[in-house]
Amino acid sequence: MAARASYHHGNLREALIAAALDMIRASGPNGFTLAEVARGVGVSGAAPYRHFRDRNALIAEIAKQGFEKFAEELFAAWDEGRPNAVAAVEACARAYLGFARREPAFYAAMFEPGFPLEDDPALLAASERAFGVLRLAADAVVCAMQRGKRPPSLMVALHVWSMCHGVASLFIEGPSGSRRKLPMAPEDLLEAGLLIYLQSVG
Amino acid sequence: MAARASYHHGNLREALIAAALDMIRASGPNGFTLAEVARGVGVSGAAPYRHFRDRNALIAEIAKQGFEKFAEELFAAWDEGRPNAVAAVEACARAYLGFARREPAFYAAMFEPGFPLEDDPALLAASERAFGVLRLAADAVVCAMQRGKRPPSLMVALHVWSMCHGVASLFIEGPSGSRRKLPMAPEDLLEAGLLIYLQSVG
DNA sequence: TGTACATCAGTGAACGCGCGTTCACTGATGTAC
DNA sequence: TGTACATCAGTGAACGCGCGTTCACTGATGTAC
């Protein structure tokens, strides 16, 4: 829509991504339309194909960037396990929900892309890098325990991930719009849950 | 597609639901098309409107029936808390995953309907009835604890629900198709997680 | 500093497609007398 | 038992719509000489 001064856009690729994020935020990765994105940026419907193979490729790029941001934020929250392993896991969990809350469009593209992650190896890799941060955190928790009573840290990481994702997708407002009401902050619910879990694990 | 003998279908409503479930199983609640459902049942594109207000009403009906089946199965698994509260919760969790696995189409319609649950009061009520079973189970767990150390049972129910839903949506094959590979059965992962959690809670 | 030319990011028109929904209608069913 | 009629589940054609993608093209950019 927005009229452009020059024939060349300058940074169409980034602009398309930004417009797509707006659209996904409003109606989810499925309510997302390449044509409307192009219109929103003030460019013909064919222009996006200079930058993305097809519709899915744009979603995949967004999901990938999302996982990268996500991994960074988790990693920062983790803070090398300071002040202690359990607190660091809690910080990751807060960061997890914070991301889902602040970036519902990225989150939706990451977890409901509408096609298998395997379709895009770079995307899959980015997703695994993000999970890697949770593994780090779980490792630290497990290492803080007495030898012989250590559960597999992969399992702990998967439990933490499941709980985070469960709370986020059930209770954080997102574009899919089927979120439940809750008599408390999702952050508090998750914090309590992980505390109980980690107390028993270590 | 399938040719009919008589002018009247007989049980078009049920047939539409069954055909829609097939379609949702294959491509999710968003890849679902009223026109294709009608074709699949061998009926004109206008016929479904005799039974459902619009496309969403059909999805809502499916989600509602899903929650009802779901509640029944959870309730049966719960088995009035036998043999003991913790084991009964574990049974519910297994039933939760079993449902997601056996009925991916219902599950998808229930948790990614594409419109807010609040749009259909009957649907919302059915969803709350299903959650009610988890509350029952959580109540029993909490009641088995010593007075004074009892956490709010609503919170426990929400934790159990989050973990079940997290595991199901991350690791159980569904139509959205972004499920992760896992080096163990989701059932085992969830069972271990809940055991650790419940051990600490009680 | 100026010019020829390769590169490439955009255009716009077209293709084929299928959707959701409405409408006036018609064929079958069953009920009241 | 037979018939008139109301009911209602289907039809089929049409409406308006917008999508994703391809294609031959053209305008702007920047680089080599």
Side-chain angles (χ1 to χ4, degrees):
Chain A
M1 203 61 86
R4 268 178 7 268
S6 60
Y7 183 89
H8 285 98
H9 183 285
N11 58 344
L12 181 54
R13 191 185 161 86
E14 282 74 18
L16 288 170
I17 291 174
L21 280 169
D22 285 344
M23 242 181 116
I24 294 172
R25 195 171 306 118
S27 26
N30 301 288
F32 153 86
T33 271
L34 205 43
E36 193 177 340
V37 166
R39 246 176 286 131
V41 172
V43 109
S44 85
Y49 290 86
R50 292 284 152 203
H51 299 273
F52 300 98
R53 196 171 26 76
D54 58 17
R55 182 179 177 280
N56 279 358
L58 174 50
I59 300 181
E61 174 63 24
I62 288 173
K64 202 193 81 188
Q65 289 189 11
F67 275 118
E68 282 161 2
K69 274 175 66 86
F70 189 50
E72 276 172 30
E73 294 185 18
L74 288 181
F75 189 76
W78 152 243
D79 193 23
E80 306 292 348
R82 280 181 291 261
N84 61 67
V86 169
V89 168
E90 293 282 1
C92 284
R94 243 171 290 130
Y96 197 113
L97 292 191
F99 184 87
R101 207 187 265 293
R102 231 179 324 106
E103 303 286 4
F106 275 120
Y107 197 82
M110 289 153 62
F111 290 101
E112 309 162 21
F115 55 86
L117 284 192
E118 286 79 8
D119 286 5
D120 185 324
L123 171 54
L124 188 61
S127 136
E128 273 164 11
R129 250 175 282 127
F131 176 58
V133 180
L134 292 183
R135 293 220 52 182
L136 272 181
D139 276 340
V141 167
V142 167
C143 280
M145 300 171 54
Q146 345 170 9
R147 288 183 171 283
K149 304 183 77 175
R150 295 179 178 164
S153 82
L154 170 59
M155 187 191 74
V156 173
L158 290 169
H159 286 152
V160 170
W161 189 16
S162 296
M163 199 142 190
C164 288
H165 186 69
V167 169
S169 57
L170 286 173
F171 305 116
I172 298 238
E173 196 63 31
S176 298
S178 71
R179 269 53 179 193
R180 268 77 178 172
K181 302 290 180 208
L182 199 64
M184 65 196 85
E187 280 78 3
D188 295 339
L189 178 69
L190 179 56
E191 178 171 337
L194 285 175
L195 217 55
I196 293 170
Y197 172 86
L198 292 172
Q199 188 176 317
S200 168
V201 104
Chain B
M1 204 63 83
R4 265 174 13 265
S6 61
Y7 183 89
H8 285 97
H9 183 284
N11 58 344
L12 182 53
R13 191 184 161 88
E14 282 73 19
L16 289 170
I17 290 173
L21 280 169
D22 285 343
M23 242 179 114
I24 294 173
R25 196 172 304 119
S27 25
N30 301 286
F32 153 87
T33 273
L34 205 43
E36 193 177 338
V37 166
R39 245 177 285 134
V41 173
V43 113
S44 84
Y49 291 85
R50 291 284 151 203
H51 300 274
F52 300 98
R53 199 172 21 76
D54 56 17
R55 182 180 178 280
N56 278 359
L58 174 51
I59 299 181
E61 174 62 23
I62 288 173
K64 201 193 82 189
Q65 289 190 11
F67 275 118
E68 282 162 1
K69 274 177 63 87
F70 189 50
E72 275 172 31
E73 294 185 16
L74 288 181
F75 189 76
W78 152 242
D79 192 23
E80 307 290 348
R82 281 182 291 259
N84 62 67
V86 168
V89 168
E90 293 282 0
C92 284
R94 242 171 291 130
Y96 197 112
L97 292 192
F99 185 87
R101 208 187 264 294
R102 230 178 325 106
E103 302 287 4
F106 276 119
Y107 197 82
M110 290 153 62
F111 290 102
E112 310 162 21
F115 55 85
L117 284 193
E118 286 78 9
D119 287 5
D120 186 322
L123 172 54
L124 187 60
S127 135
E128 272 163 13
R129 249 174 283 129
F131 176 58
V133 179
L134 293 183
R135 292 218 53 182
L136 272 182
D139 276 342
V141 168
V142 167
C143 282
M145 300 171 52
Q146 346 170 8
R147 287 182 172 284
K149 305 182 76 175
R150 294 181 180 165
S153 84
L154 170 59
M155 187 191 74
V156 173
L158 290 169
H159 286 153
V160 170
W161 190 16
S162 296
M163 199 142 189
C164 288
H165 186 70
V167 169
S169 58
L170 286 173
F171 305 116
I172 298 240
E173 196 62 29
S176 299
S178 71
R179 269 52 179 195
R180 269 78 178 170
K181 302 290 180 209
L182 199 64
M184 65 195 86
E187 280 78 3
D188 295 339
L189 178 68
L190 179 56
E191 177 171 337
L194 286 175
L195 218 54
I196 294 170
Y197 171 86
L198 292 171
Q199 188 175 316
S200 168
V201 105

